[in-house]
Each structure stands twice: as structure tokens, then as C-alpha cells.
């Protein structure tokens, strides 16, 4: 009797400790596969964004070859996998997706897995019921589920579909993109029932990735060094429609569907001349965008993070991952955020700005038309930059409250007119605030001064005091000979104020051991 009770107790403990396994299905063509060819993610990026806990099963396949050698035979850690292009393993959105889910802990009550079966090309007919891609995806799921450790996982749930396809669509596959995609979800919901809970698929929970344009050329900003994707390119049009248009409209029409933009991200620069494939760093960002959308659809708080919606002005809810204006939350730019300038149209209020790890070194917030009505109102949350990151505010700025600007050594916060603004009109700086500029310590120990640059700034009803802490340098540029009223400027020991010929109000500069250069 004692042995029986012990056995039953152990069984009960095993059942109680078993977790649900949430499986995300990833499929599509070459950008889902991750044909990064000559521009894979660097070893440093792979280490920085390496997923640790997400389970991974991959059975990628080719149009002619079938499933590539090296496909999963047991659950693995997320990593670049077969096939190889120019000696490099492929890596699609799965890497950034898994890392972002883990970092935010959105599904910590379950174990998370990715089953990936992506094809190296082909239109969406291959994902129809009897198509090669559909059959390969279903078979991959069967194989993966057969390898699930039942002692660790009490239930399998298919949490949603991640779909990145469309560049090769031609003929009827273009106008029928939406109907074929919904058909795919319905077929998966029915055919995968023997292997797990398909209720999310039946409810059409999925994230649609924006298909790339052809012959897209990257754009380089000579001032900041930012490299972004070129929005000009070619889309296949049939019956007056493109896959891009049809799928974007579908995602907007159904609350169960998410949308992960991609076209603002840079493409390959080596090993591929088609102008359609994303490089390794872009793939990590695409995966992060998929993760934020998957979390939002699952009812998780995606936070006040600048979304990948590069066309959405900053004052639009679509500009933020949780589809809400930040309100009293600090607006965050990170790996998933758009790398294009964020547009200010009208008045945009942000409690603060935090720049973490966007895929460009300089975040730009820019006036749409340079008019006096465009204004960024920056509240007590102030500014915080990660090491190696910069911020350009190319719009009128209104400051409010007591705030700190935390800037690492070698980084810069710059206020300057927008490129579209008439050169005769400076950027207006207004508000009532106390701004303490400090050189952020810690991290990698970046050297150099923390810099603030005010270029062609016109104080307008500004009641402000500035505290420049040690190792902070403020420079006034493009205002030689002008009389300015920036308010009180306290230059502390080790700080530098460069006037460059500008004339501040008498008595407004209080030098406490710093350096003031006229």
C-alpha cells in the first residue's frame, strides 16, 4: 500500500510540474527561410541576441531538393541552420522572435517552441492544401510533436502562425493572397488537431510579415551613418492589386491578425543582387517585430515601444507596439522599432524618451513639414541613451518639468531644424523645465564627453535652467552673433560650454569649475 501511495504521489507531482508547450509555426519563402547569403548577422549580434530557452524544430526545404540535410531529429536550441548560402547558415525571424519573447517574459507560464518549415521560393499556391509547402509544414509539426517529452509538457497548443511570404506571387496568387492565407489557417486548424490545441489557429491568430519589394536599394545617411531600406522598389501587380496591398489590408481588417513591417530595414549588400533579401541584422529585427505582435494578440502588454510601422506618424497609436499613445510611460526605441525617422505631425507628447538598441545608431525624430505647428512635448521622463546611441530632435521642442538627460560618453543629443524646414526658420525651443545633463556611467565604459548640440535654436517663451555635470559638453552652433535666452546654465566641474559666438543673457552662465569657450 505504501509503495502504491508513493507511486501515485510521484505521478501527481509529475503532472503538476509539467508545463504547457506553446508552439508557434513559422513558414514562408526566402525571407522566412533567411537566405542571408553574404550578409549574415555578426558573431557579436548572435551572441547579444542569443535565445536560451526556446525550443526549436526546423525542416526547411527547397523547390527541388525537398527537406534540406541537417533538419531536426530532436528539439534544439534556436540557432542558424541549414541550408548554407555562400558558406553561411540561414537565419530567419526565429532568432529575434525567440530572444524578444524570452527577454520580455510574456509566456513565462509555459514553455515556448518554434516549428519552422520555410521554402526557398515560390508563390502562395504551394501553401494550399496539397502544395509542397503545406505538406512539408504539416509533416514538420507531426515530427516535432512526436518528439515532445510528455513528462515535461502536459499540453501542446499551437499559439499562432508567423507568415512571411509574397515576393514570388504572380498571376492569381496576387489578388487571392488574402483568401489563400485564410484558407491556410483553416486547413492547419483542422489538420493539426490530432497533435495539439488548434483553437488559436481556428480563431485566425497569426502575424503577417510585410513582403519585401524587388530591386530595393538601401539608403545611407551621410551625417549619421544610418543605413535603412529603400522604400522605392518593384511590386508585382495583377488586376490593379499587389500582394503587399492585399495582405496589409487583410491584417488591418481583422483584430486576430498582426502585421510585422519589414521594408524600412536594409537588404543584402553582398552575395545577392536581387534587392529583395534582408541581411542578418534585419532578420533579428523582423523577428522582434513578430514577437511584439504575437504578444499583443495574446493579450500581453507590448508596452510603449516605437513600432516598426515606419509610415505611422509618432502621434498615431499605430506608431506604438501596444497600439496606444505612451501617456505617462516613457517612449522606447529598441530592436523592433522602425529605423526610419519618426515623424512629428502636430503636437506629440512624450513623458520621456529611452533609446535602447535600435538597429541604427541614431534615432531621428523629425518634423513632417517644418511648420510651427509641429512640436514634440518632452516631459519629466527626460532622455536616456544606451551606449553608442544618439538622438536627433529635428522638430520644435517643448520641455516640461524637472528632467534628466542621461547620455553615455561619445553619444550626442542634438536639436536642429528638420531637413524639410526652410533654412531661414530655426527650431523653436519652449517650455518650463530644469534639465540636468549627466554623463551616463556603467555599461561598456565608453570614453569621451556626453554631448548636447543646439543648432539654430530659437528660444520661445523658454523658462529653463540647465545643469551641465562633469564630462558633459554643450555646444551652440549656427547662432554666431545672436543674443539668446536659454535660461540659467550651470557649468559644473569638468563640464564644457561652447558658445561659438552666440551671446547668452548677462549673468545666465554660472561657472562652477567648468570651461566656457566663447
Amino acid at each position: 500500500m505504501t509503495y502504491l501511495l508513493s507511486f501515485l504521489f510521484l505521478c501527481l507531482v509529475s503532472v503538476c510540474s509539467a508545463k504547457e508547450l506553446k508552439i508557434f509555426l513559422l513558414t514562408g519563402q526566402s525571407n522566412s527561410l533567411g537566405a542571408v547569403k553574404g550578409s549574415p548577422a555578426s558573431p557579436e549580434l548572435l551572441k547579444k541576441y542569443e535565445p536560451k530557452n526556446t525550443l526549436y524544430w526546423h525542416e526547411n526545404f527547397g523547390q527541388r531538393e525537398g527537406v534540406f540535410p541537417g533538419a531536426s531529429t530532436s528539439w534544439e536550441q534556436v540557432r542558424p541552420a541549414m541550408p548554407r548560402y555562400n558558406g553561411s547558415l540561414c537565419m530567419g525571424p526565429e532568432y529575434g522572435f525567440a530572444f524578444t519573447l524570452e527577454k520580455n517574459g510574456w509566456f513565462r507560464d509555459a514553455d515556448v517552441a518554434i516549428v519552422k518549415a520555410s521554402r526557398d521560393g515560390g508563390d502562395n499556391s504551394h501553401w494550399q492544401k496539397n502544395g509542397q509547402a503545406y505538406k512539408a509544414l504539416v509533416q514538420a509539426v507531426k515530427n516535432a510533436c512526436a518528439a515532445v517529452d510528455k513528462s515535461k509538457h502536459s499540453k501542446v497548443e499551437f499559439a499562432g502562425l508567423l507568415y512571411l511570404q509574397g515576393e514570388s506571387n504572380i498571376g492569381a496568387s496576387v489578388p487571392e493572397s488574402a483568401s489563400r492565407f485564410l484558407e491556410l489557417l483553416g486547413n492547419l486548424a483542422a489538420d493539426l488537431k490530432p497533435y495539439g490545441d488548434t483553437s488559436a489557429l481556428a480563431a485566425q491568430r497569426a502575424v503577417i510579415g510585410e513582403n519585401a519589394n524587388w530591386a530595393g536599394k538601401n539608403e545611407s545617411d551621410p551625417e549619421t551613418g544610418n543605413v535603412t531600406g529603400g522604400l522605392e522598389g518593384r511590386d508585382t501587380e495583377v488586376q490593379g492589386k499587389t500582394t503587399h496591398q492585399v495582405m496589409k489590408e487583410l491584417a488591418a481588417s481583422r483584430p486576430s491578425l498582426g502585421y510585422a513591417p519589414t521594408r524600412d530595414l536594409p537588404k543584402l549588400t553582398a552575395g545577392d543582387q536581387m534587392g529583395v533579401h534582408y541581411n542578418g541584422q534585419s532578420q533579428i529585427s523582423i523577428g522582434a517585430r513578430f514577437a511584439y505582435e504575437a504578444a499583443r494578440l495574446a493579450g500581453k502588454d507590448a508596452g510603449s515601444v516605437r513600432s516598426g510601422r515606419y509610415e505611422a506618424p509618432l502621434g498615431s497609436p499605430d506608431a506604438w507596439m501596444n497600439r496606444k499613445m505612451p501617456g505617462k510611460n516613457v517612449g522606447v526605441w529598441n530592436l523592433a522599432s522602425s529605423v526610419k525617422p519618426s515623424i512629428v505631425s502636430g503636437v506629440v507628447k512624450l513623458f520621456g524618451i529611452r533609446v535602447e538598441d535600435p538597429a541604427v545608431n541614431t534615432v531621428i525624430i523629425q518634423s513632417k513639414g517644418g511648420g510651427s505647428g509641429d512640436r514634440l512635448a518632452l516631459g519629466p521622463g527626460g532622455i536616456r541613451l544606451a551606449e553608442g546611441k544618439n538622438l536627433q530632435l529635428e522638430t520644435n521642442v517643448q520641455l516640461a518639468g524637472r528632467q534628466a538627460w542621461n547620455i553615455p560618453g561619445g553619444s550626442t543629443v542634438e536639436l536642429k531644424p528638420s531637413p524639410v524646414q526652410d533654412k531661414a526658420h530655426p527650431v523653436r525651443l519652449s517650455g518650463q523645465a530644469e534639465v540636468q545633463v549627466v554623463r551616463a556611467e556603467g555599461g561598456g565604459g565608453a570614453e569621451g564627453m556626453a554631448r548636447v548640440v543646439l543648432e539654430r535654436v530659437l528660444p520661445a517663451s523658454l523658462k529653463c535652467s540647465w545643469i551641465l555635470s562633469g564630462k558633459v559638453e554643450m555646444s551652440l552652433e549656427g547662432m554666431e552673433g545672436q543674443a539668446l535666452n536659454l535660461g540659467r546654465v550651470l557649468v559644473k566641474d569638468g563640464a564644457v560650454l561652447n558658445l561659438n559666438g552666440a551671446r547668452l543673457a548677462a549673468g545666465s552662465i554660472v561657472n562652477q569649475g567648468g570651461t566656457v569657450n566663447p
Side-chain angles (χ1 to χ4, degrees), residues 139-315:
Q139 186 61 52
V141 172
K142 290 180 180 179
N143 295 340
C145 288
V148 170
D149 187 340
K150 302 297 192 299
S151 67
K152 293 182 179 179
H153 300 111
S154 57
K155 177 185 176 183
V156 171
E157 177 196 355
F158 299 108
L161 176 65
L162 313 175
Y163 186 73
L164 187 54
Q165 191 278 334
E167 293 86 357
S168 295
N169 288 350
I170 57 174
S173 62
V174 173
E176 294 180 14
S177 294
S179 60
R180 291 185 182 184
F181 177 72
L182 297 177
E183 176 189 328
L184 169 62
L185 284 171
N187 289 336
L188 290 172
D191 292 345
L192 299 185
K193 269 188 177 180
Y195 311 101
D197 181 354
T198 61
S199 56
L201 297 174
Q204 299 180 343
R205 185 181 298 171
V207 182
I208 298 170
E210 179 182 36
N211 66 293
N213 52 15
W214 290 88
K217 296 185 182 298
N218 294 341
E219 298 176 351
S220 298
D221 184 333
E223 180 183 355
T224 64
N226 287 354
V227 179
T228 62
L231 301 182
E232 298 296 326
R234 177 173 56 82
D235 281 285
T236 301
E237 184 174 318
V238 177
Q239 299 174 11
K241 297 180 179 180
T242 66
T243 298
H244 180 259
Q245 172 194 350
V246 171
M247 296 302 280
K248 188 174 182 180
E249 289 176 354
L250 173 64
S253 70
R254 296 175 185 250
S256 64
L257 298 178
Y259 189 73
T262 67
R263 293 191 177 192
D264 61 314
L265 296 165
K267 306 266 184 68
L268 296 176
T269 56
D272 186 338
Q273 303 301 318
M274 292 185 282
V276 71
H277 295 123
Y278 294 105
N279 64 32
Q281 181 171 1
S282 295
Q283 284 285 3
I284 295 175
S285 290
I286 292 169
R289 294 175 183 182
F290 269 104
Y292 271 98
E293 283 292 85
R296 183 182 63 81
L297 294 176
K300 311 297 182 181
D301 183 8
S304 299
V305 174
R306 175 67 173 100
S307 74
R309 300 266 182 143
Y310 50 86
E311 80 288 358
L314 207 54

Side-chain angles (χ1 to χ4, degrees), residues 71 121 222 246 262 270 351 439 505 512:
V246 171
T262 67
F351 183 77
R439 183 182 184 273
Q512 293 187 341

Side-chain angles (χ1 to χ4, degrees), residues 102 247 333:
E102 291 181 14
M247 296 302 280
W333 273 253

Side-chain angles (χ1 to χ4, degrees), residues 99 122 178 222 389 493:
F99 171 84
K389 301 301 178 181
D493 184 26

